[in-house]
Amino acid sequence: MKVLGINLAKNGSIAIVNNGQLDLYLEEERVTRIKRDVGAYTLCEKFVDDTIDVAIYSDCFTRYSFKGHLEKVTVRKNLEELLYSRGVKKVLDFTDRHHECHAASAFYGSGFDDAVCLVMDGKGSVVRKNGILFCETESIYNFVGGEFIPLFKHYSCFYNRSLCEKLEEPFWDGINFFSNRVSIGQAFRCVSGHCGFDEIEAGKTMGLSAYGSGPVNLFNEEYGHSLCSKNIYPRDDVGWAKYYGEETTNENLAYNLQKSAEKHAVYMIKKAVELSGKNNVVVSGGFFLNCVSNYNVLKSLDINLYADPLSYDGGHAFGSAMLVSDKKTSMKTLYLGPTYDLSHIEGKDTSYSEVARIITEKNIVAMFQGRSEAGPRALGNRSILYDPRDPKGKDHVNAIKKRESFRPFAGTVLKEYANGWFDMAGMDESPFMMYAVDALEYAYDKIPAILHVDKTCRVQTITKEQNEHYYNLIEAFYRKTRVPILFNTSFNLAGEPLVETPQDALKTFYNSDINYLYFPEVQKLIVK
């Protein structure tokens, strides 16, 4: 059975699951080159044919006006017409199963046979209660008999102040909790906007938090649940100033939110374990791209944790497809984009050793190979690489990528050496870069370019089986430097999606100050 999952919300995406195996995942932005593009019409035009048995589309509670509703109806109608015209046999609408799709993405990606699923994000599907529209913000599901059974649901009407004032006090209705409080995802949107970032750039707020200090009081236990302060509303800059005081810095505000969020995540995972009696925990929803919080959970709780690398709405394509697929297998790799012909690439013949030498001389090397990575993080196929030993490395690469100076970078380490350089909190590996781990003191002065101000690093472990060319390059660098790690960041410039095609790679390369572009599959190096 061949199933097509489609996410129509931001980070529009498709996933093709064939007999339970994820064969393709790609986001609309990679084709249209519009950052976080919504919908997936262009992808469906490109990849859908009559071999698809079932297509499922999902959406999110993102617009509230009548005009917005009509726009959504039109988008869905046009999509269905396209799918049927391409020979798709059946089309399903899962727009009312937002959190369940997140849970499925996490569970079927994890490889666990049994687990409890926790979802936390900005907002999901809607329900009407007592004449008020609420949206999902937090859900706990128990996986039983092949189904996701709700154990707890938190719904909120935070997006509408008049509704919040009408509700006044949160209340329980069985396993469902209804409140007027901002969700954890929306809290990050609020703070990100307050700090001058795009509202959905929570990663910047997370990075900025390491420079702050002060109270940790944003989430508190009330009404039998942990809730965000009742004084906070979306797009209410005055509210933030009133709550924290005019003297509050962006750094301290980001710190309060990050640490409060970490505390809340631990609270919710404990709740999930207590309600289910299970020690295997899978987490999804946009919040769980927060690699700092994920690591804090690992250090705080004795559980088996899987953080979904497709936690954001893009992962709906995979989750919805797996809910329908008649066979179920785990997601073993994130190298899931299309393949590309590189036979036309012209450049200097090179080798792993030569490219490693160039990197040791403080040169930035962009690398393009294989299938693109699913998710927001470069894992060696669409990466910009640099020497992690350079004390000025962060400033150098940030300037090239036109990023803010406070933002941290990631490192890729040969798996067999990871525990000698980082505190992996009991993990054998971190192949999807979902944890910002503590560096060991031994590493402080050896890899300063990839250590944040708090001495953490968003780490990716790599084996030869996972990515042979990338492994061989890092191994060559290790032979020259005794450091089994490369500085790794995404191959794009600020405000742009990751490069997808060889043409994207060449265009970005020639429009940047990067001087080397490496194609390891054909061992060609383009030099400016």
Side-chain angles (χ1 to χ4, degrees):
M1 184 180 186
K2 196 170 183 180
V3 183
L4 169 70
I6 306 168
N7 169 49
L8 295 179
K10 65 181 184 295
N11 299 109
S13 59
I14 64 168
I16 296 177
V17 173
N18 193 3
N19 291 323
Q21 182 66 46
L22 180 56
D23 285 349
L24 175 76
Y25 175 94
L26 192 62
E27 294 184 21
E28 186 83 346
E29 68 168 25
R30 304 290 181 90
V31 178
T32 65
R33 309 308 298 162
I34 300 171
K35 187 74 170 175
R36 300 186 185 90
D37 203 0
V38 298
Y41 197 88
T42 306
L43 291 174
C44 288
E45 285 186 313
K46 186 176 180 66
F47 292 101
V48 173
D49 57 30
D50 60 5
T51 64
I52 302 294
D53 295 295
V54 184
I56 311 98
Y57 63 83
S58 60
D59 204 333
C60 181
F61 185 46
T62 55
R63 299 185 181 122
Y64 318 111
S65 67
F66 182 67
K67 179 182 177 182
H69 173 71
L70 290 179
E71 289 175 354
K72 280 183 162 184
V73 170
T74 301
V75 167
R76 294 169 186 173
K77 180 176 179 292
N78 291 342
L79 176 68
E80 289 187 6
E81 289 178 352
L82 171 66
L83 295 173
Y84 283 126
S85 73
R86 293 295 178 90
V88 175
K89 302 167 185 65
K90 187 176 182 180
V91 180
L92 302 175
D93 178 355
F94 275 19
T95 57
D96 61 346
R97 300 171 70 174
H98 190 84
H99 276 196
E100 187 180 2
C101 289
H102 275 312
S105 175
F107 179 78
Y108 290 114
S110 71
F112 289 144
D113 294 324
D114 191 30
V116 62
C117 313
L118 170 63
V119 179
M120 297 197 305
D121 62 4
K123 51 187 178 289
S125 302
V126 297
V127 298
R128 185 178 294 276
K129 183 74 174 178
N130 298 342
I132 299 175
L133 278 177
F134 293 86
C135 57
E136 296 171 307
T137 63
E138 297 167 326
S139 299
I140 297 172
Y141 295 93
N142 196 12
F143 184 75
V144 179
E147 296 185 1
F148 295 92
I149 308 300
L151 300 178
F152 167 81
K153 301 278 288 186
H154 178 196
Y155 295 94
S156 178
C157 59
F158 67 83
Y159 58 87
N160 188 313
R161 180 169 295 193
S162 64
L163 292 181
C164 289
E165 293 170 351
K166 180 179 178 181
L167 178 62
E168 294 183 354
E169 297 294 335
F171 65 93
W172 287 88
D173 179 12
I175 65 170
N176 299 319
F177 184 58
F178 296 87
S179 84
N180 54 7
R181 305 302 178 84
V182 165
S183 67
I184 193 166
Q186 193 65 37
F188 268 92
R189 290 178 71 103
C190 291
V191 172
S192 298
H194 179 92
C195 293
F197 312 139
D198 188 297
E199 285 188 347
I200 56 178
E201 292 180 318
K204 293 184 180 181
T205 303
M206 180 186 70
L208 184 64
S209 69
Y211 294 86
S213 61
V216 179
N217 58 8
L218 185 56
F219 279 84
N220 295 292
E221 284 68 48
E222 305 175 73
Y223 305 97
H225 187 58
S226 181
L227 292 170
C228 188
S229 165
K230 64 182 180 181
N231 299 311
I232 306 306
Y233 292 95
R235 300 177 181 86
D236 184 0
D237 201 54
V238 175
W240 287 102
K242 284 181 179 177
Y243 186 64
Y244 290 102
E246 298 292 346
E247 72 284 357
T248 300
T249 65
N250 289 344
E251 291 82 358
N252 289 348
L253 179 54
Y255 174 85
N256 192 341
L257 175 60
Q258 177 64 36
K259 294 305 175 184
S260 295
E262 292 174 17
K263 177 184 173 185
H264 180 62
V266 170
Y267 174 93
M268 288 301 300
I269 290 175
K270 284 182 177 179
K271 180 190 284 284
V273 171
E274 290 168 2
L275 289 175
S276 67
K278 294 179 179 177
N279 209 47
N280 292 338
V281 181
V282 301
V283 294
S284 190
F287 169 72
F288 287 107
L289 286 179
N290 191 310
C291 54
V292 175
S293 178
N294 293 344
Y295 184 63
N296 177 65
V297 168
L298 275 182
K299 292 195 297 182
S300 302
L301 301 174
D302 184 18
I303 59 171
N304 302 314
L305 180 68
Y306 176 81
D308 181 10
L310 302 180
S311 289
Y312 60 119
D313 284 352
H316 264 223
F318 173 57
S320 62
M322 291 305 292
L323 285 172
V324 172
S325 177
D326 57 348
K327 294 183 180 179
K328 317 288 187 182
T329 58
S330 63
M331 181 173 57
K332 297 178 174 61
T333 181
L334 288 181
Y335 305 117
L336 293 164
T339 57
Y340 297 97
D341 179 20
L342 299 180
S343 61
H344 65 285
I345 297 298
E346 296 181 359
K348 172 187 173 184
D349 291 334
T350 191
S351 65
Y352 304 120
S353 180
E354 172 64 9
V355 175
R357 181 193 64 78
I358 290 169
I359 295 174
T360 65
E361 295 175 353
K362 307 298 184 291
N363 293 296
I364 295 174
V365 175
M367 184 165 73
F368 181 101
Q369 62 161 326
R371 305 175 68 180
S372 58
E373 301 91 333
R377 289 162 185 164
L379 302 173
N381 282 13
R382 305 289 188 275
S383 287
I384 289 173
L385 306 174
Y386 191 65
D387 190 335
R389 303 172 302 161
D390 182 4
K392 298 181 180 179
K394 281 182 283 195
D395 293 338
H396 182 37
V397 179
N398 270 326
I400 294 291
K401 290 196 65 175
K402 300 178 174 62
R403 301 192 338 160
E404 295 86 351
S405 61
F406 64 84
R407 294 178 64 186
F409 285 104
T412 306
V413 57
L414 302 181
K415 177 186 170 182
E416 58 267 33
Y417 296 101
N419 281 287
W421 291 77
F422 303 101
D423 178 0
M424 299 293 289
M427 292 186 292
D428 292 328
E429 61 179 351
S430 176
F432 301 151
M433 206 183 284
M434 290 299 290
Y435 303 92
V437 306
D438 293 329
L440 300 180
E441 188 173 353
Y442 165 83
Y444 287 178
D445 61 351
K446 292 181 172 57
I447 51 172
I450 58 171
L451 297 187
H452 201 27
V453 66
D454 58 2
K455 303 303 182 186
T456 62
C457 175
R458 192 172 74 231
V459 69
Q460 173 199 5
T461 58
I462 196 77
T463 66
K464 183 170 286 193
E465 292 71 27
Q466 291 164 343
N467 194 325
E468 182 176 4
H469 294 299
Y470 194 24
Y471 183 95
N472 289 343
L473 177 60
I474 300 175
E475 189 176 49
F477 182 82
Y478 174 60
R479 286 197 296 268
K480 295 179 183 298
T481 65
R482 309 315 297 169
V483 174
I485 304 165
L486 278 180
F487 180 128
N488 173 24
T489 187
S490 56
F491 189 2
N492 65 320
L493 302 180
E496 298 179 357
L498 269 73
V499 301
E500 174 59 31
T501 67
Q503 292 72 29
D504 294 336
L506 290 165
K507 180 179 179 181
T508 301
F509 173 65
Y510 285 116
N511 287 333
S512 72
D513 292 328
I514 301 169
N515 291 321
Y516 297 89
L517 175 55
Y518 178 40
F519 294 88
E521 292 167 286
V522 292
Q523 288 296 355
K524 295 289 186 180
L525 184 68
I526 300 177
V527 183
K528 283 183 181 173

